[in-house]
Amino acid sequence: MAEWRDAAGKPMTVEPDALRVLLGALGLPAASDAQVKESLAAHRQATRGLRPPLVTAEAGAPVTLRIAPGRYRIEAADGTGAEGEAEAMPGGARITAPTTPGYYTLECGARQLVLAVAPEHGHRITDACPEGRAWGLTAQIYSLRRGTPQGVGDYAALEGLAGPAAALGADAIAISPVHAQFSADPSRFSPYAPSSRARLDVRHAARGDILGEPFAPPPELAAELERLEALELVDWPATARARIALLRDAYEAFTRSAPQSSREAFDAFRAEGGASLQRHAVFEALHARQFADGRWHWREWPAALRDPESPAVASFAEENAAEVEYHAFLQWLADRGLAAAQRAARQGGMRIGLIADLAVGVDGGGSDAWSRQAEILQQVEIGAPPDLFNARGQGWGITSFSPQGLRMSGFAGFREMLAAAFRNAGGVRLDHVLGLRRLWLVPGGASPRDGAYLRYPLEDMLRLVALESHLNQGIVIGEDLGTVPAGFRPRLEKAGLAGMRVLWFEKQGKRFTAPQKWTTGAVSMTSTHDLATVAGWWEGRDMEWRRKLDLKPLEKEENRQAERRALWSAFRASGVAQGELPEKEDGATVADAAAAHIGRAACQLALLPLEDALAAVEQPNLPGTTDQHPNWRRRFPQPVDRMLADPAVERRLRGLARARRAE
């Protein structure tokens, strides 16, 4: 998009030189008028002959396909089929899509394609919780502790949290992203810059019962875990090394003495994962070998290893079969752990259970970018244009799908990613859901201000999200914060996606909006991982951090005090607080009121961050920082089996639950 509007609604135009660089990065050379003409002709030729292997449609609606008129046969996933007559239309022929949502194979003459038939909307919150007054928690998995020293929160700790939360009436736990990272590089830990969104972070895996006996780490690792567990902040490099060593020990024990039932379960997992799981396991083994020789990014590898289908890669996989199996084994453990957490949530009475978080992009040096090169944008990064808070714009250091690659592949990677997110969850949160419509693209090495918006096939992607939501009976939440184009939120709601309504942003001028007026088809929240906690905001901890790190804009204390008065007034008006304004140091009292306040919201689901359930003052992440602030490292002091039993925490959660029941 060469023309766009900024946060203030001002029309903006991408500079020609910046546009030329970006087009070149997308494989469309545009350095001269001649190159522009050649690239345009090549693009038109490729588009004109494009016969996408997958077409989306709405259930029971007519759809025009690039097929010849005449007889066709359509077959559902269960093998049932039907025949019909395709009506001639300009550019192809028209049929009526089946009335039952699902994936269908359509054959017409020599042409075969997949027809993805979407429902009118996905599985909504009211489908899972009919009265629409549900509540739950949000949790950063790494922050959790359990009874034995682990150095970081894991899937077993999440499983341990599910029972107490369900006992208090929670219907959901929304978790931080658990996408696969880089096992060979313990320094990588940002959950929003993963290697693969189709695989899991194995550092949160636990051995569990695969050997039919209690877990007992080797003495030297046990001592290291004790040391790491005593830390207030996660030491990611040391913790990752320790946990990978534990998992290596588990794999070796598994190969020696695994029960037949465990071996059969693992073999079934590998068979189900197929070529996709194999490619990721091969990448992990290759990355470890190449990184050890100083080559981190797969583009720095020997040319023969850059192609996942090359004979050299096949030879490597064969020669290192045990190492490849080891990485598949880690994925199996992670999958078992996350499945156990979801099972505990549902068996405890939660109607939704886990809500997985789907990051907006991946690292360009990771497994997804290597294994799906034609589907992933290469040598560019996604980010955000300049705005009031960042005059330079933002480059996030990650990439995502190519619109053309999506169409050409039949949205294969996108569908795989969605299926992986729903696999062990009752819902999915789409980070930066605006990415379904457009993403700000920055050429490698350029300033974010020299980027441009790249448009995506919104209707196709929304239909696929709604279809996967329907097939998996899982809700979808779209992170729709910030500047949202007119008409976008209603389109999401029509597809069954719930938006997010965060306390700090629900304002009209200087007054906070009454929770009864918040959007019904949305999720109410006190805060997010990128924003101040309630207690931290009230006590000014976020202001202290911004002053310390000189992060603009800086807020004055008198302005914050005026906002405190406005917030407390809103709490009193909604009936969740009374009396005079609490002291600045009394963030816990304000956290009590805030929890009940979002409970009073008209939204169909209320999600309270664990940080606000515990009245913590520190937030998980401070945007605009890397190592200046301990992002993604904070841990809670209490283990999960005692965390919610703390009288103050239990009182806060019961207050939220009562507010949800109030008419």
Side-chain angles (χ1 to χ4, degrees), residues 36 160 236 317 347 464 592:
V36 170
W236 274 110
Q347 290 177 350
L464 290 170
D592 289 346

Side-chain angles (χ1 to χ4, degrees), residues 164-183:
L168 288 169
D171 274 309
I173 300 178
I175 60 175
S176 52
V178 290
H179 305 313
Q181 290 288 343
F182 299 81
S183 298

Side-chain angles (χ1 to χ4, degrees), residues 218-261:
E220 65 278 8
L221 285 177
E224 174 66 352
L225 289 176
E226 289 278 4
R227 183 187 73 82
L228 294 168
E229 188 70 16
L231 302 176
E232 292 184 6
L233 300 175
V234 179
D235 179 344
W236 274 110
T239 297
R241 284 191 289 267
R243 292 190 67 87
I244 292 297
L246 280 174
L247 295 173
R248 176 72 72 174
D249 178 70
Y251 172 68
E252 291 172 354
F254 178 80
T255 59
R256 289 193 307 268
S257 58
Q260 184 64 24
S261 58

